[in-house]
Coordinates of all heavy atoms in Angstrom, one line a residue:
Chain B
V73 N 7.1 -13.2 -38.1 CA 6.1 -12.7 -39.0 C 6.5 -11.3 -39.5 O 6.4 -11.0 -40.7 CB 4.7 -12.6 -38.3 CG1 3.7 -11.8 -39.1 CG2 4.2 -14.0 -38.1
Y74 N 7.0 -10.4 -38.5 CA 7.4 -9.1 -38.9 C 8.6 -9.2 -39.9 O 8.7 -8.5 -40.9 CB 7.8 -8.2 -37.7 CG 6.5 -7.8 -36.9 CD1 6.6 -7.8 -35.6 CD2 5.4 -7.3 -37.6 CE1 5.5 -7.4 -34.8 CE2 4.3 -6.9 -36.8 CZ 4.4 -7.0 -35.4 OH 3.3 -6.6 -34.7
G75 N 9.6 -10.1 -39.5 CA 10.7 -10.2 -40.4 C 10.3 -10.6 -41.8 O 10.8 -10.1 -42.8
S76 N 9.3 -11.6 -41.9 CA 8.9 -12.0 -43.2 C 8.2 -11.0 -43.9 O 8.2 -10.9 -45.2 CB 8.0 -13.2 -42.9 OG 6.9 -13.3 -43.9
L77 N 7.5 -10.1 -43.3 CA 6.8 -8.9 -43.9 C 7.8 -8.0 -44.6 O 7.7 -7.6 -45.7 CB 5.9 -8.2 -42.9 CG 4.7 -7.5 -43.4 CD1 3.8 -8.4 -44.2 CD2 3.9 -7.0 -42.2
F78 N 8.9 -7.6 -43.8 CA 9.8 -6.7 -44.4 C 10.6 -7.4 -45.5 O 10.9 -6.8 -46.5 CB 10.8 -6.3 -43.3 CG 10.3 -5.4 -42.2 CD1 10.2 -5.7 -40.9 CD2 9.7 -4.1 -42.6 CE1 9.6 -4.9 -39.9 CE2 9.2 -3.3 -41.7 CZ 9.1 -3.7 -40.4
R79 N 10.8 -8.7 -45.4 CA 11.5 -9.4 -46.4 C 10.6 -9.4 -47.7 O 11.1 -9.4 -48.8 CB 11.6 -10.9 -46.0 CG 12.0 -11.9 -47.0 CD 13.5 -12.3 -47.0 NE 13.8 -12.8 -48.2 CZ 14.9 -13.6 -48.4 NH1 15.6 -14.0 -47.4 NH2 15.2 -14.0 -49.6
H80 N 9.3 -9.5 -47.5 CA 8.4 -9.5 -48.6 C 8.5 -8.2 -49.3 O 8.5 -8.1 -50.6 CB 6.9 -9.7 -48.1 CG 5.9 -9.8 -49.2 ND1 4.9 -8.9 -49.4 CD2 5.8 -10.7 -50.2 CE1 4.1 -9.3 -50.4 NE2 4.7 -10.4 -50.9
S81 N 8.6 -7.1 -48.6 CA 8.8 -5.8 -49.3 C 10.1 -5.7 -50.0 O 10.1 -5.3 -51.2 CB 8.8 -4.7 -48.2 OG 9.2 -3.5 -48.8
R82 N 11.2 -6.3 -49.5 CA 12.5 -6.3 -50.2 C 12.4 -7.2 -51.5 O 12.9 -6.8 -52.5 CB 13.6 -6.8 -49.3 CG 13.9 -5.9 -48.2 CD 15.2 -6.3 -47.6 NE 15.2 -7.5 -46.8 CZ 14.8 -7.6 -45.5 NH1 14.4 -6.5 -44.9 NH2 14.7 -8.7 -44.9
D83 N 11.7 -8.3 -51.4 CA 11.6 -9.2 -52.5 C 10.7 -8.5 -53.6 O 11.0 -8.6 -54.8 CB 10.9 -10.5 -52.1 CG 11.9 -11.4 -51.4 OD1 13.1 -11.2 -51.5 OD2 11.4 -12.3 -50.7
Q84 N 9.7 -7.7 -53.2 CA 8.9 -7.0 -54.2 C 9.8 -6.0 -54.9 O 9.8 -5.8 -56.1 CB 7.8 -6.2 -53.6 CG 6.6 -7.2 -53.2 CD 5.4 -6.3 -52.8 OE1 5.6 -5.2 -52.3 NE2 4.2 -6.9 -52.9
E85 N 10.7 -5.3 -54.2 CA 11.6 -4.4 -54.8 C 12.6 -5.1 -55.8 O 12.8 -4.6 -56.8 CB 12.4 -3.6 -53.8 CG 11.6 -2.7 -52.8 CD 11.0 -1.7 -53.6 OE1 11.5 -1.2 -54.6 OE2 9.9 -1.2 -53.1
R86 N 13.0 -6.2 -55.4 CA 13.9 -7.0 -56.3 C 13.1 -7.4 -57.6 O 13.7 -7.3 -58.7 CB 14.4 -8.3 -55.7 CG 15.4 -8.0 -54.5 CD 15.9 -9.3 -53.9 NE 16.8 -9.0 -52.7 CZ 16.6 -9.2 -51.5 NH1 15.4 -9.7 -51.1 NH2 17.4 -8.8 -50.5
Q87 N 11.9 -7.8 -57.5 CA 11.0 -8.1 -58.6 C 10.9 -7.0 -59.5 O 11.0 -7.1 -60.7 CB 9.7 -8.6 -58.1 CG 9.6 -10.0 -57.8 CD 8.2 -10.4 -57.2 OE1 7.3 -9.8 -57.6 NE2 8.1 -11.3 -56.4
A88 N 10.6 -5.8 -58.9 CA 10.4 -4.6 -59.7 C 11.7 -4.2 -60.4 O 11.6 -3.8 -61.5 CB 9.9 -3.4 -58.8
D89 N 12.8 -4.3 -59.7 CA 14.1 -4.1 -60.4 C 14.2 -4.9 -61.6 O 14.6 -4.5 -62.7 CB 15.3 -4.4 -59.4 CG 15.7 -3.2 -58.5 OD1 15.3 -2.1 -58.9 OD2 16.4 -3.4 -57.6
L90 N 14.0 -6.2 -61.5 CA 14.2 -7.1 -62.5 C 13.3 -6.9 -63.7 O 13.6 -7.0 -64.9 CB 14.2 -8.6 -62.1 CG 15.3 -8.9 -61.0 CD1 15.2 -10.3 -60.6 CD2 16.7 -8.7 -61.7
L91 N 12.0 -6.6 -63.3 CA 11.0 -6.3 -64.4 C 11.4 -5.0 -65.1 O 11.4 -5.0 -66.4 CB 9.6 -6.2 -63.7 CG 8.4 -6.4 -64.6 CD1 8.6 -7.6 -65.4 CD2 7.2 -6.4 -63.7
G92 N 11.8 -4.0 -64.4 CA 12.3 -2.8 -65.0 C 13.4 -3.0 -66.0 O 13.5 -2.5 -67.1
L93 N 14.4 -3.9 -65.5 CA 15.5 -4.2 -66.3 C 15.1 -5.0 -67.5 O 15.7 -4.7 -68.6 CB 16.6 -5.1 -65.5 CG 17.9 -5.3 -66.2 CD1 18.6 -4.1 -66.4 CD2 18.7 -6.3 -65.4
S94 N 14.1 -5.8 -67.5 CA 13.7 -6.5 -68.7 C 13.0 -5.6 -69.6 O 13.2 -5.7 -70.9 CB 12.7 -7.7 -68.3 OG 11.5 -7.0 -67.9
Y95 N 12.4 -4.5 -69.1 CA 11.9 -3.5 -70.2 C 13.0 -2.9 -70.9 O 13.0 -2.7 -72.1 CB 11.1 -2.4 -69.4 CG 9.8 -2.8 -68.7 CD1 9.5 -2.2 -67.4 CD2 9.0 -3.8 -69.2 CE1 8.4 -2.6 -66.8 CE2 7.9 -4.1 -68.4 CZ 7.6 -3.6 -67.3 OH 6.4 -4.0 -66.6
L96 N 14.1 -2.6 -70.1 CA 15.3 -1.9 -70.7 C 15.9 -2.8 -71.7 O 16.3 -2.5 -72.8 CB 16.3 -1.5 -69.6 CG 16.2 -0.1 -69.1 CD1 17.4 0.1 -68.2 CD2 16.3 0.9 -70.2
N97 N 16.1 -4.1 -71.3 CA 16.7 -5.1 -72.2 C 16.0 -5.2 -73.5 O 16.6 -5.4 -74.6 CB 16.8 -6.5 -71.5 CG 17.9 -6.6 -70.5 OD1 18.9 -5.9 -70.6 ND2 17.8 -7.6 -69.7
G98 N 14.7 -5.1 -73.5 CA 13.9 -5.2 -74.7 C 13.7 -3.9 -75.4 O 12.9 -3.8 -76.4
S99 N 14.3 -2.8 -75.0 CA 14.1 -1.5 -75.5 C 15.3 -1.1 -76.5 O 16.2 -1.9 -76.7 CB 13.9 -0.5 -74.4 OG 15.3 -0.2 -73.9
E100 N 15.2 0.2 -76.9 CA 16.3 0.6 -77.7 C 17.4 1.3 -76.9 O 18.3 1.9 -77.4 CB 15.8 1.6 -78.8 CG 15.0 0.9 -79.9 CD 14.2 1.8 -80.8 OE1 14.4 3.1 -80.6 OE2 13.4 1.3 -81.6
L101 N 17.2 1.3 -75.6 CA 18.1 2.1 -74.7 C 19.1 1.0 -74.1 O 18.8 -0.1 -74.0 CB 17.4 2.8 -73.6 CG 16.5 4.0 -74.1 CD1 15.6 4.4 -72.9 CD2 17.3 5.1 -74.6
R102 N 20.2 1.6 -73.6 CA 21.3 0.8 -73.0 C 20.9 0.2 -71.7 O 20.8 1.0 -70.7 CB 22.5 1.7 -73.0 CG 23.8 1.0 -73.0 CD 24.9 2.1 -73.2 NE 26.2 1.5 -72.7 CZ 26.5 1.6 -71.4 NH1 25.9 2.3 -70.5 NH2 27.7 0.9 -71.1
P103 N 20.8 -1.1 -71.4 CA 20.4 -1.6 -70.1 C 21.5 -1.5 -69.1 O 21.1 -1.7 -67.9 CB 20.0 -3.1 -70.5 CG 20.8 -3.4 -71.7 CD 20.9 -2.1 -72.5
Q104 N 22.7 -1.3 -69.4 CA 23.8 -1.2 -68.4 C 23.5 0.1 -67.6 O 24.2 0.2 -66.5 CB 25.1 -1.2 -69.1 CG 25.7 -2.5 -69.6 CD 24.9 -3.0 -70.7 OE1 24.3 -2.3 -71.4 NE2 25.0 -4.4 -70.9
A105 N 22.7 1.0 -68.0 CA 22.4 2.2 -67.3 C 21.7 1.9 -65.9 O 21.9 2.7 -65.0 CB 21.4 3.1 -68.1
A106 N 21.1 0.7 -65.7 CA 20.4 0.4 -64.5 C 21.4 0.3 -63.3 O 21.2 0.8 -62.3 CB 19.6 -0.9 -64.6
E107 N 22.6 -0.4 -63.6 CA 23.5 -0.4 -62.6 C 24.2 0.9 -62.4 O 24.4 1.3 -61.2 CB 24.7 -1.4 -63.1 CG 25.7 -1.6 -62.0 CD 27.1 -1.9 -62.6 OE1 27.2 -2.0 -63.8 OE2 28.1 -1.9 -61.8
A108 N 24.3 1.8 -63.4 CA 24.9 3.1 -63.3 C 24.1 4.0 -62.3 O 24.7 4.7 -61.5 CB 25.1 3.8 -64.6
V109 N 22.8 3.8 -62.3 CA 22.1 4.6 -61.4 C 22.5 4.4 -60.0 O 22.7 5.3 -59.1 CB 20.6 4.3 -61.5 CG1 19.7 5.0 -60.5 CG2 20.0 4.7 -62.9
W110 N 22.6 3.1 -59.6 CA 22.9 2.7 -58.3 C 24.4 3.1 -57.9 O 24.6 3.5 -56.7 CB 22.6 1.2 -58.0 CG 21.2 1.0 -58.0 CD1 20.4 0.6 -58.9 CD2 20.4 1.5 -56.9 NE1 19.1 0.7 -58.5 CE2 19.1 1.3 -57.3 CE3 20.6 2.1 -55.7 CZ2 18.0 1.6 -56.4 CZ3 19.5 2.5 -54.8 CH2 18.3 2.2 -55.2
R111 N 25.3 2.9 -58.9 CA 26.6 3.4 -58.6 C 26.7 4.9 -58.2 O 27.4 5.4 -57.4 CB 27.6 3.1 -59.8 CG 27.7 1.7 -60.2 CD 28.6 0.9 -59.2 NE 28.5 -0.6 -59.4 CZ 28.6 -1.4 -58.4 NH1 28.8 -1.0 -57.1 NH2 28.5 -2.7 -58.6
T112 N 25.9 5.7 -59.0 CA 25.8 7.1 -58.7 C 25.3 7.3 -57.3 O 25.8 8.2 -56.6 CB 25.0 7.8 -59.7 OG1 25.3 7.5 -61.0 CG2 25.1 9.3 -59.6
I113 N 24.2 6.7 -56.9 CA 23.6 6.8 -55.6 C 24.6 6.5 -54.6 O 24.7 7.2 -53.5 CB 22.3 6.0 -55.5 CG1 21.2 6.6 -56.4 CG2 21.8 6.0 -54.1 CD1 19.9 5.8 -56.5
I114 N 25.3 5.4 -54.7 CA 26.3 5.0 -53.7 C 27.3 6.1 -53.6 O 27.7 6.5 -52.5 CB 26.9 3.6 -54.1 CG1 25.9 2.4 -53.9 CG2 28.2 3.4 -53.3 CD1 26.3 1.2 -54.5
A115 N 27.8 6.6 -54.7 CA 28.9 7.6 -54.7 C 28.3 8.9 -54.0 O 29.1 9.5 -53.3 CB 29.4 7.9 -56.1
E116 N 27.1 9.3 -54.3 CA 26.6 10.5 -53.7 C 26.5 10.3 -52.2 O 26.8 11.2 -51.4 CB 25.2 10.7 -54.4 CG 24.6 12.0 -53.7 CD 23.1 12.2 -54.0 OE1 22.6 11.5 -55.0 OE2 22.4 12.9 -53.4
T117 N 25.9 9.2 -51.8 CA 25.8 8.9 -50.3 C 27.1 9.0 -49.7 O 27.3 9.6 -48.5 CB 25.1 7.6 -50.1 OG1 24.0 7.5 -51.0 CG2 24.6 7.5 -48.6
E118 N 28.2 8.4 -50.3 CA 29.5 8.4 -49.6 C 30.0 9.9 -49.6 O 30.6 10.2 -48.6 CB 30.4 7.6 -50.5 CG 30.4 6.1 -50.2 CD 31.4 5.3 -51.0 OE1 31.8 5.8 -52.1 OE2 31.6 4.2 -50.7
A119 N 29.8 10.6 -50.7 CA 30.3 12.0 -50.7 C 29.6 12.8 -49.6 O 30.3 13.7 -49.0 CB 30.1 12.6 -52.1

Side-chain angles (χ1 to χ4, degrees):
Chain B
V73 170
Y74 289 135
S76 143
L77 206 52
F78 290 118
R79 166 109 200 200
H80 187 240
S81 171
R82 292 193 289 275
D83 285 341
Q84 284 189 336
E85 294 297 330
R86 291 180 183 111
Q87 277 175 30
D89 271 344
L90 296 178
L91 200 47
L93 186 62
S94 74
Y95 298 142
L96 266 185
N97 279 338
S99 75
E100 291 169 4
L101 293 169
R102 207 171 155 269
Q104 283 69 21
E107 183 210 356
V109 174
W110 286 103
R111 295 287 167 214
T112 311
I113 290 177
I114 288 171
E116 180 194 342
T117 316
E118 276 179 344

